[in-house]
Amino acid sequence: MVGNPISQSKSPQIHSLFAKQTGQVLSYTTLEAPLGGFEKTVTHFRDSGAKGINITAPFKLDAFAYATHLTEGAKAAGAINCIKFEGSTSYGDNFDGVGLVRDITHNLGTAIKHQRVLILGAGGATRGALLPLLAHNPAAVVICNRSTEHAVQVASLAVTNPNIQIHICDYANLQAAGSFDVVIHATSASLHGQTLALPGAIFKQSALAYDLTYGKGMTWFLQQAQRAGAAKLADGVGMLVEQAAEAFSWWRGVRPQTQEVIKLLTVPLVT
Ligand code: NDP
């Protein structure tokens, strides 16, 4: 896994649990690349005989430019979080969105089909999530973002699925967007010590409130959702483990079980 910083990464733990479970021999470590030093670091790693690498912030765009071959999902997202090396060829994919959608539908048992979905934030994570979400045919998708220009850029990805209209709004107009079955928090506000005041009416009483942040217990987003009466609360640990499982199976040809690993990494959601 390459990133900067990288010491917080749980990926070595996740992949070593997967390797143990599936009987694979694997060495998975972290690399801190200097800012501006992605290409050199990753090429050196590839040339040392590595089979693949995961990419985290702030290098997902550098990785997109680095990969010699990209999947359609990766092209649409414009960012990748996983590379597979074959000689000097590097295949790039983005499993963040697939991991998110699998966690919502499979692990949390929440339907996306015919449901109203709100995404707060229009950064890399939302870019990766949009097409996998649309593939489940939601009734409506609204992207709310501080910069509506960024939201418009992300929504333009949806031209691949013209049947579903993507609506854009900013926080000042969020109240008017209505109420939602699934509300996904995908901003990095918390990383900057900031919070947002959300109108309680965006959460239907049956809603799933999903925070991409993980391992922090009840975040400000989850607390607001709880106060508004949202029925289900989840953080992004399941997404993290599910995207890792996608990468593992892409590299190794065997899909690990995720439930036990998610359980092990879960920090209880208590106030
Ligand atoms: P980006 O930096 O690409 O995007 C950040 C987004 O947050 C932008 O839409 C930005 O708005 C918005 N934002 C930042 N600060 C504020 C604020 N104060 N108020 C309102 N909006 C704000 O980040 P990512 O999309 O890569 O990641 C988003 C979050 O998801 C992070 O917390 C990250 O850790 C988490 N994540 C979790 C994963 C998991 O596996 N669980 C995987 C990937 C990400 P604007 O466009 O206006 O600048």
Side-chain angles (χ1 to χ4, degrees), residues 20 42 64 68 72 94 97 118-119 122 125 170 189 216 231 246 270:
K20 198 167 159 198
V42 171
F64 182 78
T68 52
E72 287 308 310
N94 188 326
L118 169 65
I119 313 173
D170 59 16
K216 304 282 185 206
E246 291 294 326
V270 284

Side-chain angles (χ1 to χ4, degrees), residues 104-184:
I104 291 176
T105 57
H106 188 80
N107 300 337
L108 301 168
T110 299
I112 291 170
K113 191 174 182 181
H114 300 156
Q115 304 299 297
R116 285 175 52 77
V117 178
L118 169 65
I119 313 173
L120 305 170
T126 300
R127 290 182 83 97
L130 193 55
L131 291 192
L133 282 168
L134 292 178
H136 279 255
N137 285 313
V141 172
V142 175
I143 301 175
C144 176
N145 198 46
R146 186 174 59 177
S147 143
T148 42
E149 192 192 328
H150 290 167
V152 167
Q153 282 165 9
V154 175
S156 68
L157 300 172
V159 289
T160 55
N161 192 339
N163 296 326
I164 301 163
Q165 249 197 315
I166 313 274
H167 302 275
I168 306 293
C169 69
D170 59 16
Y171 291 97
N173 297 308
L174 182 54
Q175 176 108 38
S179 59
F180 296 86
D181 304 285
V182 179
V183 181
I184 299 168

Side-chain angles (χ1 to χ4, degrees), residues 60 96 121-126 145-147 150 171 186-189 191-192 194 196 212-214 236 239-240:
K60 290 182 185 178
D96 282 339
T126 300
N145 198 46
R146 186 174 59 177
S147 143
H150 290 167
Y171 291 97
T187 84
S188 58
L191 298 179
H192 313 296
Q194 291 158 343
L196 296 162
L212 262 60
T213 307
Y214 56 85
M239 172 181 178
L240 178 75

Side-chain angles (χ1 to χ4, degrees), residues 11 18 24 35 52 102 104 112 114 156 223 234 243 257:
S11 293
F18 286 166
Q24 297 277 310
L35 299 179
R102 185 171 164 87
I104 291 176
I112 291 170
H114 300 156
S156 68
Q223 288 182 35
Q243 66 74 31
Q257 298 292 322

Side-chain angles (χ1 to χ4, degrees), residues 6 18 46 54 213 261:
I6 194 67
F18 286 166
R46 182 197 71 193
N54 283 124
T213 307
V261 181

